[in-house]
Amino acid sequence: MNYQNLLQEKVDQLRLENRYRHFVELERLTGRHPHALWHTAKGPREVIIWCSNDYLGMGQSTHAIDAMSKSVKAHGTGAGGTRNISGTSSSIVALESELASLHNKERALVFTSGYVANEASLSALIALLDNPIILSDSMNHASIISGIRYGRAEKSIFRHNDLNHLEELLKGIPKSRHKIIVFESVYSMDGDTSPIAEVTALARKYDAMTYLDEVHAVGMYGAEGGGIAQRDGVADEIDLIQGTLGKAYGAMGGYIAGSDALCDAIRGYGSGFIFTTAMPPALAEGALASIRYLRSSSDERTKQQYMAQYLKERLADHRLPALPSTTHIVPVMVGDAMKCSEISWTLLADHGLYIQPINYPTVPRGTERLRITPGPLHSTEMADQLVDCLARVFDAIQPPAYVAGNGKPNSLAG
């Protein structure tokens, strides 16, 4: 059997379906976010990034940079091993204490990524509970799906944010059976939020645990950046809050926060935690500095929300097909994989504006889009430039979500 030919055929299939992922080589410039250098065959070229998950630019902040630099000089670059084998640094202990305080929970546990946090925590919980059933929102992230699959639990999928469907499923489960409702606060592709208070009320009514993924919300919402649950005053109703350090906090890693017993159980049974090299002290110190700063400063959140609203209004002025997002995520619908990639490339090559195409399987076929994430370091002038260029490119390429010439979005844009 020719394994190489088989693998090449699989890769070619991705290209044929416009699902092949082209990586753009970008060099971020300290102090110049959202500007970056795009390394091309003809040499570097300056571009503006409009799709970064470094939502508040904290990856460029002097607070995090200074903390990481000092830590590297004091402690070196690596962790030295797993948490059990010399990897539990004082920096990680301090970070976990800060995260627990941020979410008003008894304890927090740090992982090497948000993906690992979800996969390890869910699979461990499933193994520890008695024949549990998982009720999962249909729009949940791949890491949640992987954790449920790895845990081999029975699952029921409820329609996205559909409380009636969720309750219908709960009614069909014996109250004595262990249950976990797993959902997100901010959904990263549509930019919508979940009805957290209503979900927690159903959890109490039917005696279910709640597992809330806040990766796109921590740092961004709430008086101290504790997420949507903090903003809405319902964090205490959530059993387990999962977050990331790699988006609004500008570092890397993931975490969970919950009761002492819950976190200790996952610490003792989660293989994705036990057998992974620990986060290096420098990363922990950088994340810790960002969290502490954003707990005391709301300036970045305020500026980001202003820029998001400004961009949404400008897109509406041009009748561009943006989904009515209520968050910092601004999806502009395209509706075709090939044209989505073409629009992305044209913006980059002709206008120096980078927004990666979002195609299947990240989103369903026919809902391909550009996912824009305006931040506090973008300016209104940058937003005006982006919208003007988008309008010209949409008119030229004519994606299904847009009727070229008269500026009217079609029904795909919602």
Side-chain angles (χ1 to χ4, degrees):
M1 183 179 291
N2 192 320
Y3 295 105
Q4 302 308 314
N5 286 349
L6 174 63
L7 295 172
Q8 188 59 54
E9 287 173 5
K10 297 296 184 182
V11 172
D12 291 342
Q13 185 65 29
L14 290 177
R15 294 181 188 275
L16 186 64
E17 297 174 2
N18 291 294
R19 293 170 51 202
Y20 186 81
R21 297 176 187 267
H22 297 275
F23 295 152
V24 176
E25 184 182 348
L26 297 168
E27 181 181 347
R28 303 213 309 158
L29 306 169
T30 301
R32 297 205 59 209
H33 184 76
H35 294 271
L37 290 181
W38 171 34
H39 288 272
T40 75
K42 297 180 180 179
R45 174 184 169 186
E46 188 167 304
V47 298
I48 297 175
I49 300 176
W50 277 100
C51 56
S52 175
N53 282 346
D54 187 359
Y55 293 137
L56 299 177
M58 291 301 293
Q60 303 276 307
S61 75
T62 55
H63 307 281
I65 292 171
D66 290 348
M68 290 186 73
S69 298
K70 290 177 183 177
S71 182
V72 166
K73 291 177 181 178
H75 309 297
T77 58
T82 64
R83 289 289 297 270
N84 189 53
I85 306 176
S86 79
T88 300
S89 64
S90 297
S91 300
I92 287 182
V93 173
L95 175 58
E96 289 177 338
S97 176
E98 190 74 23
L99 288 165
S101 173
L102 172 66
H103 294 291
N104 194 32
K105 299 296 184 185
E106 292 178 348
R107 191 166 180 173
L109 198 64
V110 169
F111 297 78
T112 50
S113 75
Y115 192 106
V116 173
N118 269 337
E119 190 175 66
S121 299
L122 279 166
S123 59
L125 272 178
I126 289 167
L128 291 167
L129 298 180
D130 183 15
N131 187 31
I133 181 168
I134 312 300
L135 298 107
S136 179
D137 189 287
S138 63
M139 294 288 285
N140 276 342
H141 189 261
S143 58
I144 293 174
I145 296 168
S146 179
I148 295 170
R149 182 182 296 122
Y150 184 50
R152 299 181 181 177
E154 181 183 348
K155 66 179 183 294
S156 286
I157 309 300
F158 61 93
R159 291 186 291 272
H160 179 52
N161 280 349
D162 190 330
L163 293 167
N164 291 329
H165 189 213
L166 175 58
E167 182 163 24
E168 179 184 327
L169 294 172
L170 286 165
K171 284 179 178 177
I173 304 168
K175 197 165 185 179
S176 60
R177 186 174 181 187
H178 290 173
K179 299 171 283 292
I180 310 175
I181 302 172
V182 186
F183 61 117
E184 301 180 33
S185 62
V186 174
Y187 288 87
S188 63
M189 289 300 112
D190 286 0
D192 59 337
T193 60
S194 59
I196 301 174
E198 291 84 353
V199 172
T200 58
L202 287 175
R204 289 194 303 272
K205 182 177 179 180
Y206 293 97
D207 199 17
M209 288 184 66
T210 47
Y211 184 113
L212 179 64
D213 180 319
E214 288 250 46
V215 296
H216 292 279
V218 290
M220 302 295 293
Y221 302 95
E224 296 184 335
I228 298 291
Q230 184 184 83
R231 183 197 70 180
D232 294 350
V234 293
D236 290 347
E237 302 295 327
I238 302 295
D239 292 299
L240 186 152
I241 292 174
Q242 183 265 346
T244 186
L245 306 169
K247 293 182 170 63
Y249 293 125
M252 185 178 179
Y255 66 90
I256 59 169
S259 70
D260 185 75
L262 190 156
C263 290
D264 213 17
I266 291 172
R267 184 184 80 95
Y269 288 89
S271 61
F273 174 86
I274 296 169
F275 298 107
T276 299
T277 297
M279 175 187 289
L283 276 175
E285 290 291 344
L288 180 60
S290 288
I291 294 165
R292 285 175 173 168
Y293 174 79
L294 289 175
R295 291 188 74 178
S296 63
S297 172
S298 60
D299 289 349
E300 290 74 16
R301 288 189 285 275
T302 300
K303 291 174 184 175
Q304 187 283 319
Q305 289 164 14
Y306 171 80
M307 279 308 306
Q309 186 59 35
Y310 182 85
L311 179 62
K312 291 170 188 177
E313 290 172 359
R314 292 286 286 118
L315 290 167
D317 290 342
H318 280 68
R319 304 293 300 275
L320 285 161
L323 287 181
S325 160
T326 59
T327 65
H328 58 286
I329 296 166
V330 184
V332 176
M333 305 305 287
V334 176
D336 177 89
M338 182 178 293
K339 290 190 175 183
C340 193
S341 297
E342 185 180 358
I343 290 169
S344 173
W345 178 254
T346 302
L347 286 170
L348 179 62
D350 294 353
H351 303 286
L353 305 172
Y354 178 57
I355 314 171
Q356 91 281 17
I358 305 293
N359 294 336
Y360 177 83
T362 306
V363 295
R365 287 188 174 92
T367 68
E368 293 81 4
R369 67 198 65 187
L370 302 174
R371 176 184 176 274
I372 306 174
T373 54
L377 299 178
H378 290 102
S379 66
T380 55
E381 292 78 16
M382 289 178 188
D384 291 340
Q385 177 201 19
L386 172 65
V387 173
D388 290 342
C389 291
L390 265 176
R392 290 200 297 272
V393 175
F394 267 59
D395 273 339
I397 295 177
Q398 302 183 39
Y402 181 74
V403 179
N406 62 16
K408 294 181 180 179
N410 73 12
S411 59
L412 180 63

